[in-house]
Each structure stands twice: as structure tokens, then as C-alpha cells.
Amino acid sequence: MNKERTLGEILRQQGVSRRGFLKFCATTASLMALPPGMVPTIARALENARRPSVIWLSFQECTGCTESLTRSHAPTIEGLIFDAISLDYHHTLQAAAGSAAEQARESAMKENFGNYLLVVDGSIPLANAGFSTIAGTSNLEILKEVAKGAAAIIAVGTCAAYGGLPHAKPNPTGAVPVSAIISDKPIVNVPGCPPIPVVISGVLTHFLTFGRLPDLDHLGRPLAFYGNNIHDRCYRRPFYERGQFAESFDDEGARKGWCLYKLGCKGPVTYNACATTKWNNGTSFPIESGHGCLGCSEPDFWDMGGFYRALSEPIGLSARTVAGGAIGGAALGAASGLLNRKKKAEALARHEKIGVDELKDGETK
Amino acid sequence: MSFPPLEITRPESGNLKLILHEISHALSELMATGNERSIDLRGIPLAPGEEKKLLESLGEGEIRAELDALGKSRIQESRYSGVWIVTHCNSNGEIMGRFIEITRSPALLAAQTEDMAAGLDALRQLIATGTES
Ligand code: SF4
Ligand code: SF4
């Protein structure tokens, strides 16, 4: 498809009316967590947006992130966003295979050098390059090569953003995130295990709409989606404030929908959009089903000390302290966050990499 | 085998009342200054069942319209004139977004200049050639 055409032209050619376009813009604004008042601005920007070329690389991953994205609100709105970008290489989704696929990547890189978006899912193994290769080339090599001509990199999923599950203790593959390797390109982290589908497409849409990457927090996450923690937007928060906690998954508190803090909910230290954007096309999110947040959009969430251990437990808060803290709920959340970070730093310091030494000699390129 | 009846209690976020207050402020502002407002329900934490409760409180007024573009959209006036519920679905019928619009008439109801221009071209072609473009 001709990359010079604007999104407005592409939509008109597909028979989308102006009303349809305005509807598209209204849901897009909502998707990007922008106020409805921004719709006219978005309409103007999207009308004239040109299709960027996208190269998607998958490294040590479970394909959950791609699954998440392709399960999003297809086919219309998200489909349109994907029609509006030129997905030149994605080895799970593209039709071409083998050397034809690699050629597609190389020619997309050449044609759009300096301008294409690089999307990465999965972590990169450093212990032994042979742990994960594409067409015989190590993930490390491909990442460095493709990153050279990228305008920006979007690290999709907690693996690409922070190492994720492969990086969990004892990290046998020596997995690292994109940011540990590439330091001279803007990187946007879109963590989550997997990330919410509309958050992935929301970041792409932001780039399409405004021609630049969104504002980021200190962990490289777009503030529009990761600006609030789950706890701040959780509908169970009033129970937290009143000190009403479920103590087990089948007690009276659980049945009444009380706060899941004592059952290990990591909502107070987890920044993500689940509580408002929700999952399965806006149906619900885990806390609505009675399970605490696992903290999947935070670095090292797998090693946070157990999914069912209350955040306060390791630092010796008694049940009374938790209830007392509920009076100053936000403050306790923040304090737990700090202590949790300290705990994470200690865990990090203890990190041992085992089971890789004997493989080190077998490195490929 | 028989099971005891399932007791389901509905937790409340406390946000329903806030939204109703926000709507009432917006409506009085619309009357006083003509300023229109839109509330994106996706941005507000609601407990299970609360959105339904909100829609029940707003009720259904005199006008209901359906837009058929990129999937259906339903534009429903609430029982409070000037307060509209706009629900956008994709072509699978899944809800993409729901907005409460406080306006005399939601913008989507008005004919759009670009669509009118395209319609005019087609109409002229029909008159000239007897066939649609
Ligand atoms: S601790 Fe978890 S369940 Fe409780 S209010 Fe916070 S996010 Fe919601
Ligand atoms: S609720 Fe928590 S663990 Fe679950 S998807 Fe959202 S951020 Fe991840």
C-alpha cells in the first residue's frame, strides 16, 4: 500500500464516512486516556497522519503479547490502526517465511532507515546467545542491527521492558530487557504480562496522531496509561479506607467484595490501566473476579515475595497496623511502595545466575 | 446434588453519586453558558453492576438514534433532556466506549460537511447520468 497517503485518505477510500471517522476519533481519545474535548485535535491530526513502517521483533517470549494485541477490539477500530501502519515484519503474523521474511525486514529497514518504529516483545538472553535465535542470528545481534535505523523502540510486555518472566530468579538465560542493550534510541516500555491490548495500540495511535512518543514515567512507561496505580482507581478502595479486608478467598469479606490487600493484592505498588480500561473488551479486571493484582507491569513482579503474601508482611506490619493504616490509605500505599522497592533492591543484589556457566562455551554469533 | 443459594453482595465504589453530581453541574452550565461537556465512563472506576445502575438512573428519554458506521453506535437521550448516552460498538457488537454527553444535540447527529459534499456529488451524477457513482 502507498505509504504517502494519509490516514484520512485511507479511511475515505474504505468508505468510512465523516461520522464514522469522528466515532473512531472519540474511541481513540478514550483509548489514549485523553479528555473527550481533545477529539477535534485528534481528528485534525489523524486526518493528516502518514503511515509509519513498523518492524516487530519477537525474542524470548510466549507470544502472549501478540495474542493480546490480535485479540483486541478487532476488526474495526484496532484494525484501522493496523491498516494505518505498515507492519513490514512480524514473524508470527506475516505470511512470508524463511529468507523471504528476512528479506522483507531488510528492505523495510533500507527504505525507511531512521524513520521506522521498532516493536520488540520478549527478553534478550545474554548468557548464551544460542538460547534464542531467528534464522540463525542471535537476538542480541538482530536487536542491535534493527535498532540502528529505528526512530524509536516500543518494548511491548514486561519481558521486553524489564526482563519479565525469563529474568525471574535464578534467570538461567541471563535475560535482559531492551533498555539494557540499546541506549541511544528513545524507548517506550509497555509492560504487562501481557499488556492490555488497547494500551499497545494506544501507544501506536499516539505516535500516529501526534508524530511523537507519549510522555513517560521514571520506568519508561507512557503516563497516559500507567500514570495511576491500580489501588488509586480500584472500586474496592472504599473498603481499604475503612479497614475492611478479605482474610481468605472464601470468607465473608471475600463474598462481600472487600479489599484484597491481605490476600496479596499488589495494586498499591502497581501502575497500570486495568482498573479503568479493563480486560476482554472492557468486561472486567482480576480484582472484579475476586483475585488480587499480581503486579505484572512492574519490574521483577515475579520475585516480589509471593502473589499471596500481603505487601506489608515482609516488613512486619501486623493486621492492626494495616487496619490503622487504612485511615491514611494512600500514605500506607506509598510507604509499602518504598519498602517494596527496598525489598526488590535487596532481592536484586542477591540475584544468582545459575545453570548457564556450562553452556557459555557453546555461544553462537 | 443441590447447592446452597449463592449470596452475591454488590460492592459500591461511591462514584455513582459523584457522576450524577457532575452531570447536574454540566447541565446547569449548558443552560447558563451553552458549554457542552462529555464524560468518558471508561475513565471512572465503577464496581460491577454500577454502570448498569447509572444507566437505569438516567433512564430513556424521547429520542433514540442509531448510527451505522464502523459498527453500530446508539445515541439515546436520557430522561433528563440535554443529557445523552452515546455508546459506540465495533462491527462485532462489542462496546468500544460509552460517553455521557451534556449537549443540546450530540455532534454525531448533525450531517457532516464532507459527507454532504460526497452526497451532493453523487446526487448530481444521478441527475446527469441516471446512475449512482
Ligand atoms: S489493595 Fe487491591 S483490592 Fe484493595 S483497594 Fe487496593 S487495589 Fe483494590
Ligand atoms: S490487575 Fe495487576 S496483575 Fe492483573 S493484569 Fe492488571 S497490572 Fe497485571
Side-chain angles (χ1 to χ4, degrees), chain A residues 60 125-133 136-139 359 362-365:
Chain A
Q60 281 195 138
L126 293 186
N128 182 320
F131 281 147
S132 180
T133 63
T137 309
S138 73
N139 291 170
L359 290 162
E363 288 191 14
T364 61
K365 61 174 176 164

Side-chain angles (χ1 to χ4, degrees), chain A residues 127-214:
Chain A
N128 182 320
F131 281 147
S132 180
T133 63
I134 297 168
T137 309
S138 73
N139 291 170
L140 180 64
E141 287 296 310
I142 294 190
L143 175 60
K144 281 186 183 165
E145 187 195 330
V146 182
K148 265 186 221 148
I153 303 175
I154 303 178
V156 167
T158 304
C159 297
Y162 309 129
L165 188 50
H167 182 266
K169 217 171 153 186
N171 190 5
T173 64
V176 295
V178 174
S179 57
I181 294 164
I182 307 296
S183 52
D184 58 348
K185 296 282 171 182
I187 299 176
V188 181
N189 288 329
V190 184
C193 194
I196 303 179
V198 294
V199 173
I200 307 176
S201 46
V203 173
L204 291 173
T205 312
H206 191 286
F207 185 76
L208 257 179
T209 311
F210 301 112
R212 61 173 178 80
L213 294 168

Side-chain angles (χ1 to χ4, degrees), chain A residues 230-231 234 236-237 240 259-261 265 267-268 287:
Chain A
I230 302 287
H231 187 60
C234 178
R236 294 195 190 218
R237 181 69 181 258
Y240 178 94
C259 171
L260 301 164
Y261 184 87
C265 180
I287 290 170

Side-chain angles (χ1 to χ4, degrees), chain A residues 17 35 50 52 70 79 82 119 124 133 138 173 179 212 249 273 291 304 316 323 330:
Chain A
S17 68
R50 290 186 192 280
T70 53
F82 272 87
V119 181
I124 301 98
T133 63
S138 73
T173 64
S179 57
R212 61 173 178 80
F249 284 106
H291 196 287
M304 266 187 190

Side-chain angles (χ1 to χ4, degrees), chain A residues 16-24 26-27 29-31 34 36 73-78 80 198 232-235 238-239 255-257 275-278 281 288, chain B residues 7 9 11-14 38-40 42-48 67 69-73 88-92 94-97 99 108-112 114-115:
Chain A
V16 176
S17 68
R18 185 70 187 174
R19 280 202 189 97
F21 182 66
L22 289 177
K23 167 178 170 172
F24 172 70
T27 47
S30 171
L31 185 79
L34 293 171
H73 301 296
T76 51
I77 308 289
E78 314 294 301
L80 282 175
V198 294
D232 283 340
R233 310 292 261 165
C234 178
Y235 71 94
F239 296 108
R255 280 197 295 277
K256 288 189 166 155
T276 44
T277 301
K278 304 196 175 174
N281 298 341
E288 257 185 86
Chain B
E7 180 203 342
T9 36
E12 283 178 14
S13 66
S38 175
I39 300 168
D40 180 356
R42 187 186 250 168
I44 301 166
L46 290 174
L67 165 70
L70 297 175
K72 304 255 191 234
S73 292
H88 295 306
C89 297
N90 66 13
S91 52
N92 290 341
E94 294 157 345
I95 294 176
M96 302 290 304
F99 303 83
L108 276 180
L109 285 180
Q112 305 293 314
E114 292 82 350
D115 296 340

